[in-house]
Amino acid sequence: MCSIQIKIRTNELVLFYKLTLEKVSVNRYNTDMTFLDLLSEKKITVYSLSIDSGVPKTTLTDIASGKADIFECSGKTLLAISKCLHVSIEYLLSLEREEAKTVLPSFLSDSINDYRKAIRKDSTLIDCYSDQLNSSINVAEVEQLITKEQADRLRARYF
C-alpha cells in the first residue's frame, strides 16, 4: 500500500488531498484502455482537455503518444485530468500505455485513429471503422508485422 499526499495552492486556499493506493488497484493492464481510448469515449480531444484542465497540451500529447508515462505525472496534473474526465486518479493510473508509433505498422495505426475519431464523432459508420480495424489487425498478424500477443491485446482493447 502506498500513500500520496497532494498539495494544491490556489490564491488564498491550500488544499490537501490524500490518496491511498493498493498495488492491486494500480494494475496497468486491467482496463484494456489507453489514454487516447478514454478521450475518444469521453468525446474530447487533447486540445480541449488541455484548455479545460489547465494541463499543458505538450504534457497531454506525451501521455497520449506513450512518450511519457502517466505514473510520472505530478499529483496536481493527475487531479486536473481526473476532474475534467470525471474519472478517479486510480482509473487513470490503471490505463494501458499507448503503443509506440514505431511498434505498429502505419496502416494499423491509421485504422486505430480512424476508429477513435468515429467513436468521438458518434459516426453512423462505426461498424465500418470497426471492421476496418479488425481487418488491419488480422493482416498485420498474418503478415507477421505484429506478434500474436499484440494482436490479442488490440482485439481485447477494441472488441
Side-chain angles (χ1 to χ4, degrees):
M1 182 180 301
C2 83
S3 182
I4 301 171
Q5 188 172 17
I6 302 169
K7 180 179 178 183
I8 299 177
R9 200 178 284 271
T10 59
N11 292 342
E12 296 178 13
L13 182 65
V14 177
L15 303 171
F16 286 95
Y17 293 90
K18 188 169 183 181
L19 176 65
T20 304
L21 302 173
E22 292 184 30
K23 285 191 177 185
V24 177
S25 69
V26 187
N27 179 356
R28 67 178 3 202
Y29 296 105
N30 67 352
T31 63
D32 291 327
M33 185 180 276
T34 66
F35 186 69
L36 280 176
D37 295 332
L38 177 61
L39 293 181
S40 292
E41 183 180 276
K42 298 287 184 174
K43 301 184 184 347
I44 188 168
T45 63
V46 169
Y47 177 75
S48 56
L49 179 61
S50 173
I51 298 297
D52 295 343
S53 68
V55 175
K57 184 180 175 214
T58 53
T59 301
L60 295 172
T61 302
D62 287 349
I63 294 168
S65 69
K67 184 177 178 183
D69 196 338
I70 200 153
F71 280 96
E72 297 170 358
C73 293
S74 69
K76 183 178 178 182
T77 299
L78 290 172
L79 186 63
I81 294 170
S82 70
K83 280 186 174 183
C84 281
L85 295 177
H86 305 289
V87 297
S88 67
I89 292 175
E90 292 91 346
Y91 186 80
L92 286 177
L93 294 174
S94 72
L95 294 174
E96 240 186 83
R97 191 169 186 171
E98 190 70 31
E99 314 236 4
K101 295 287 183 196
T102 57
V103 173
L104 299 177
S106 61
F107 69 89
L108 182 52
S109 293
D110 292 344
S111 293
I112 291 170
N113 290 335
D114 291 344
Y115 181 72
R116 287 178 177 152
K117 286 177 189 173
I119 290 173
R120 193 170 45 248
K121 294 180 180 182
D122 280 331
S123 174
T124 56
L125 301 174
I126 191 73
D127 57 335
C128 296
Y129 289 105
S130 175
D131 290 344
Q132 176 188 357
L133 177 55
N134 193 29
S135 296
S136 295
I137 293 170
N138 292 339
V139 167
E141 182 182 14
V142 168
E143 296 292 327
Q144 298 180 347
L145 301 172
I146 60 173
T147 65
K148 180 177 180 359
E149 291 78 24
Q150 285 176 306
D152 290 343
R153 192 169 59 245
L154 289 170
R155 286 187 193 102
R157 186 183 299 164
Y158 295 109
F159 308 111

